[in-house]
Amino acid sequence: MSVDIIIPAAGECVYRAAALTYVSRRWMDLGFDVKIGEMWGPWCKALAVADALERSTADVIVIHDSDSWCPDTPAAVEAVQAGSAWACPFAMVKRLRANVTEDVLAGAPLSGLPTMPPHRAVPGGGVVVITRDLYDRVPLDPRFVLWGFEDIAWGMALRATVGPAQCFTGDLWHLFHPPASKDQSPEKRVASALRARYAKAMRNADDMRQIISEAREALAA
């Protein structure tokens, strides 16, 4: 089964741009095809992924944040190729500080580096390995604009549709960039309310199917 690395890219931040170069080159060095998705206007991960998918015919896709690296991703790819619907290749997120990220971008190995306190993975975020067929049925929701909640909601939709991801025990290394604004913009309020709908729909299959249908219609618009 063919595989593409799908990287949604937000190009206005020099830190994210540097991380994108690092991540995409590492994947290409491993022999994988990389499709970088772009979009214009306020950031929307779903639209950036959709842009990249227009150039992909792969059976298995890795939805891969541009600021992240997970050594166990190839193993998760093999798991999906072997029959798992989707996989989360890490259990913990380790965030690198700015000076350490500079060292990594310059060629330093990731292992053994000091990090901020790690936190547990959120299936649906960071790096997700999934069949293209399942992604087309249960895509990221483009109604999430700016950063926040889109990954959590997508993970809920996938769990409600096909069950939990196959999860691995390794780490995801998060390259430094300035954090997104925490201002309560209208977009953030809309995203918060939409996430609450996803959470409530976890208890009602018909409601979740309705939300997923709305997301697919929004992507097609």
Side-chain angles (χ1 to χ4, degrees):
M1 300 175 71
S2 57
V3 181
D4 276 344
I5 310 299
I6 304 298
I7 305 180
E12 77 279 3
C13 172
V14 295
Y15 294 91
R16 291 181 186 270
L20 171 64
T21 298
Y22 171 84
V23 169
S24 58
R25 284 179 177 170
R26 287 200 68 166
W27 277 117
M28 287 186 285
D29 287 345
L30 290 172
F32 285 85
D33 288 330
V34 175
K35 311 294 186 186
I36 296 174
E38 299 178 315
M39 48 83 57
W40 292 264
W43 172 247
C44 176
K45 183 175 180 178
L47 294 182
V49 168
D51 176 70
L53 288 179
E54 290 181 0
R55 300 182 298 282
S56 173
T57 59
D59 305 299
V60 174
I61 55 176
V62 182
I63 308 298
H64 197 297
D65 285 356
S66 63
D67 56 11
S68 301
W69 183 259
C70 176
D72 286 343
T73 301
V77 168
E78 292 178 0
V80 173
Q81 288 176 317
S84 294
W86 66 302
C88 176
F90 59 100
M92 300 297 294
V93 177
K94 294 184 174 180
R95 295 181 177 271
L96 302 175
R97 299 183 187 278
N99 61 321
V100 178
T101 296
E102 290 178 2
D103 293 340
V104 169
L105 296 179
L110 285 164
S111 59
L113 292 173
T115 70
M116 300 182 203
H119 59 85
R120 293 197 63 79
V122 175
V127 179
V128 176
V129 185
I130 186 171
T131 64
R132 175 64 186 268
D133 175 71
L134 179 56
Y135 186 85
D136 288 342
R137 289 190 288 124
V138 188
L140 282 154
D141 193 327
R143 294 173 293 178
F144 288 102
V145 178
L146 304 180
W147 279 269
F149 302 127
E150 68 273 28
D151 295 336
I152 295 171
W154 186 38
M156 290 178 184
L158 288 169
R159 291 199 304 275
T161 302
V162 296
Q166 180 170 344
C167 294
F168 289 72
T169 59
D171 297 324
L172 178 143
W173 300 87
H174 183 277
L175 302 168
F176 173 83
H177 57 73
S181 171
K182 295 185 180 298
D183 293 343
Q184 289 302 303
S185 64
E187 293 88 353
K188 289 288 186 67
R189 290 192 289 272
V190 168
S192 180
L194 183 55
R195 177 205 176 278
R197 280 190 66 199
Y198 272 89
K200 185 176 180 180
M202 288 291 291
R203 301 188 294 272
N204 187 305
D206 288 338
D207 288 349
M208 184 62 81
R209 281 192 290 269
Q210 175 60 34
I211 295 175
I212 293 169
S213 176
E214 292 170 11
R216 293 176 63 184
E217 289 174 2
L219 275 174

